[in-house]
Amino acid sequence: MELLIKNGQLILEDQIITADLRISKGKIIQIEPDLSRMENEIQIDAKSAYVIPAGIDPHVHLKLITPAGFSADDFESGSKAAIAGGTTTFIDFVTPEKGEKLTDALQKRLEEVKNCACDYAFHMSIVEWRDSIPQEMEACVQSFGISSFKTYLAYRKSIGIDFETLEKVMQTAKKLGVVVTIHAELGNTIDELREDSIQKGHIGLENHSLTRPDYTEYEAIEKVIGLVEKTQCTTYIVHVSTSKSLDLIAEAKNKNLPIFAETCPQYFSFNNEVYKGLEEEALAYLMSPPIRSESNRLGICKHLEKGTITALGTDHCPFKLEQKKGKIFTEIPNGAQGIQHRLSVLYSQFVINKRISLIDFAKLTASNPATFFRINNKGKIAIGYDADLIIWKEEKKPIAQIHEYSKGDLNIYKTLTSFGRADYVIKNGIILYDQEKLADYLPNGNYLFRN
Ligand code: URP
Ligand code: ZN
């Protein structure tokens, strides 16, 4: 498809310009003040709209197997929800079984991707140590373009690892020149608090957050910073949820340590009052780490404004109410829905009121995840880059009135109002979403080899 986008305000890497943009064979080929339409081109008028790099979500869990069944979205529904919100690329995870070779787990995961309309990559999770892990990690990097490895310090009874194992993973990653991402919560402490809570008969959902107090995150991050100092491994902390954690990360960054932070919209949109309502409502917000206090929420906003945060992920991992209800708190599957609303929630809380610029918006949602996770040729509006673009309009609408493409039935954002939305979503020069409607045919996205 050959496209000409006229009169848009283009959000470039370091400036905003009003110009026309020409797309050919899936790439951006021309950016100039006044381009004339050629015969074979479809023209879109983007007057009074922004043209923004399409979103890259660095943290999603589609078709995640849990004891409560699969998470509600597979690659088809998850990618449709992503596109409707302006995201055309995401990074999901491979989580090997214990004893399973990393590349075998990756092959299996690749077979689970069906009808995925977004481009996608995977973070490879390291769930245990064995002598062959360094060679297996190298094979992932060389043969599959995996440039990031995920570790969990939480969930010690299943996929979580200890700090000694983490150090080995970081040393190996440093040698391979790749990145380690960390779910930083003190797993052992949390397990003790959970057991104690159950012993006392405290089994309601409110105990999920009570047994994951703030310090279980920031003390884990404090220890991780020590390991970053020791190994010099480039390290990315996923879904940071407390203000103190970000204070520590900002301090470490000031010392030039290679540490980076992600947060998710749920942590700056809500406070822990969400756990006090009806059980059926509160369950939607049951996730790890949990939604924190108002002072944490404000701290995250402050750090977002001052640039401590590198990327905004969603940790999209929805479950149906049916899967979450009627369980003691330790058995409720963790995770929430969000892949469709990441851009509009950030825009509505930070751009519309000028707390961050549109350039920072594009960095947080697209260009930083692209650069950091080596997604080449995406995340920027520049000649030669993939034509993955959004035409973005300001419009006020309650999120509850927006059509949801996720198969989850617990939309945590339904009480909020959106002040901006993707009007057109274009991937590799193809229009996938056009004025609140997905295209009838969505071509399959590509696996992204990252190097
Ligand atoms: O509660 C969460 N975050 N669920 C998804 C899995 C994970 O821990 O990232
Ligand atoms: Zn996650």
Side-chain angles (χ1 to χ4, degrees), residues 59 61 93 150 239 315:
H59 188 162
H61 302 269
F93 297 83
K150 171 79 181 278
H239 51 44
D315 199 8

Side-chain angles (χ1 to χ4, degrees), residues 343-404:
L343 272 61
S344 77
V345 170
L346 181 67
Y347 189 87
S348 306
Q349 290 182 50
F350 287 91
V351 181
I352 197 87
N353 47 19
K354 302 197 167 25
R355 293 167 80 184
I356 65 169
S357 68
L358 267 160
I359 290 175
D360 287 338
F361 174 83
K363 283 193 177 133
L364 285 162
T365 57
S367 55
N368 286 352
T371 310
F372 192 81
F373 291 113
R374 301 189 196 162
I375 298 177
N376 301 325
N377 295 316
K378 290 190 189 288
K380 246 193 269 183
I381 298 183
I383 305 293
Y385 270 65
D386 286 0
D388 294 357
L389 303 166
I390 317 169
I391 298 181
W392 187 267
K393 270 199 167 163
E394 282 191 358
E395 185 184 86
K396 186 174 171 193
K397 197 171 195 179
I399 290 184
Q401 286 174 19
I402 296 172
H403 179 80
E404 275 294 311

Side-chain angles (χ1 to χ4, degrees), residues 55-60 87 89-93 121 123 148 181 236 238 262-263 311-315 342 364-366 368-370 372-373 375:
I56 297 176
D57 190 335
H59 188 162
V60 309
T87 290
T89 299
F90 54 68
I91 315 182
D92 200 295
F93 297 83
H123 304 287
S148 49
T181 80
Y236 175 95
V238 300
E262 168 197 276
T263 194
L312 190 68
T314 55
D315 199 8
R342 180 177 64 126
L364 285 162
T365 57
N368 286 352
F372 192 81
F373 291 113
I375 298 177

Side-chain angles (χ1 to χ4, degrees), residues 59 61 64 150 152 155 183 239 267 286-289 315 317 319 334-336:
H59 188 162
H61 302 269
L64 176 74
K150 171 79 181 278
Y152 296 84
Y155 313 139
H183 176 142
H239 51 44
Y267 298 116
L286 195 131
M287 66 186 80
S288 297
D315 199 8
C317 188
F319 292 92
N334 288 201

Side-chain angles (χ1 to χ4, degrees), residues 4-61:
L4 179 64
I5 301 174
K6 292 281 297 174
N7 309 315
Q9 289 182 68
L10 275 46
I11 314 305
L12 307 184
E13 199 176 5
D14 47 17
Q15 60 175 327
I16 301 177
I17 59 167
T18 303
D20 301 343
L21 184 150
R22 170 162 282 136
I23 296 168
S24 177
K25 300 190 176 73
K27 303 277 183 200
I28 299 168
I29 61 157
Q30 235 180 335
I31 298 172
E32 275 174 39
D34 195 9
L35 295 171
S36 317
R37 181 178 164 269
M38 298 200 289
E39 225 174 83
N40 60 342
E41 281 179 334
I42 294 176
Q43 179 169 317
I44 301 175
D45 187 10
K47 194 166 164 46
S48 63
Y50 298 115
V51 183
I52 304 177
I56 297 176
D57 190 335
H59 188 162
V60 309
H61 302 269

Side-chain angles (χ1 to χ4, degrees), residues 407-440:
K407 287 200 283 194
D409 53 8
L410 298 167
N411 179 2
I412 57 172
Y413 298 109
K414 67 181 182 200
T415 54
L416 305 185
T417 299
S418 166
F419 288 85
R421 67 169 173 85
D423 198 28
Y424 289 86
V425 181
I426 297 161
K427 183 171 93 62
N428 295 115
I430 299 173
I431 300 171
L432 301 181
Y433 186 77
D434 178 348
Q435 300 170 81
E436 304 193 75
K437 202 177 162 301
L438 277 177
D440 293 335

